Amino acid sequence: MTADTGIHPEGMECPVRIRIDLLPASPELDILVGERVMGWEHQAHGLFVYYLDHVRVVCKPKFSSSITEAWEVVKKVVNLDHDGMDYWFQLTFTREQLNPIDHRILIRAEFNKTVDRQSLYGYGFSFIGEADTAPLAICRAALKVVST
């Protein structure tokens, strides 16, 4: 399955697929990011447990709605190591014209794989999330990275 088509939730017996680009900012998305991207242990009710310098930390993150918490996702992804490849990240804001009068701001989060600091952009190693907010765009792009 490719990152463009979606992800399969763990523990599902049937092939249920979640369309990453359709996921709204929500506690459910925060749980997916916490488990799949951050590698944290989900307890219940959106609470996670992880260890920081051998200290047990319990938190309820809001990755998809807080830029501070979404930035932790960026730091996690750019430090992933897959077969000697690293990731670089960029966030862009564009103005999308809806009609002659109206427009909206579209935010694009993009992770790209690199080898020896050479970008593999354009070779299928670009993971893009778009949304109306930066945290949501970051979460969508990060889920695509870990879903490949």
Side-chain angles (χ1 to χ4, degrees):
M1 173 180 27
T2 67
D4 293 332
T5 58
I7 57 176
H8 293 278
E10 290 185 31
M12 301 298 287
E13 293 179 13
C14 59
V16 173
R17 200 167 42 195
I18 298 171
R19 302 280 304 178
I20 293 171
D21 290 325
L22 300 178
L23 293 172
S26 65
E28 292 79 15
L29 178 56
D30 297 332
I31 290 169
L32 277 174
V33 172
E35 290 176 334
R36 293 175 179 261
V37 179
M38 303 303 287
W40 294 350
E41 180 184 335
H42 180 240
Q43 298 298 298
H45 310 293
L47 293 174
F48 281 91
V49 172
Y50 68 96
Y51 291 87
L52 182 64
D53 297 325
H54 305 289
V55 176
R56 184 174 188 255
V57 177
V58 178
C59 65
K60 188 171 187 175
K62 295 184 176 167
F63 299 117
S64 62
S65 59
S66 165
I67 191 62
T68 303
E69 294 183 37
W71 200 250
E72 294 302 315
V73 173
V74 171
K75 291 194 293 188
K76 177 73 173 188
V77 172
V78 298
N79 288 309
L80 290 175
D81 181 18
H82 290 157
D83 301 323
M85 294 184 181
D86 296 319
Y87 290 90
W88 62 265
F89 173 77
Q90 72 178 12
L91 191 64
T92 57
F93 299 80
T94 59
R95 183 174 184 220
E96 183 178 82
Q97 199 71 38
L98 301 175
N99 57 47
I101 299 171
D102 298 321
H103 72 275
R104 74 177 183 144
I105 302 298
L106 182 67
I107 301 169
R108 172 184 272 199
E110 185 172 356
F111 292 99
N112 285 282
K113 283 187 178 181
T114 62
V115 177
D116 296 327
R117 296 193 169 164
Q118 298 295 316
S119 175
L120 298 177
Y121 183 80
Y123 294 97
F125 294 101
S126 182
F127 304 92
I128 298 169
E130 295 179 329
D132 293 332
T133 67
L136 180 55
I138 290 167
C139 288
R140 288 175 175 171
L143 281 172
K144 289 179 182 181
V145 169
V146 298
S147 296
T148 58

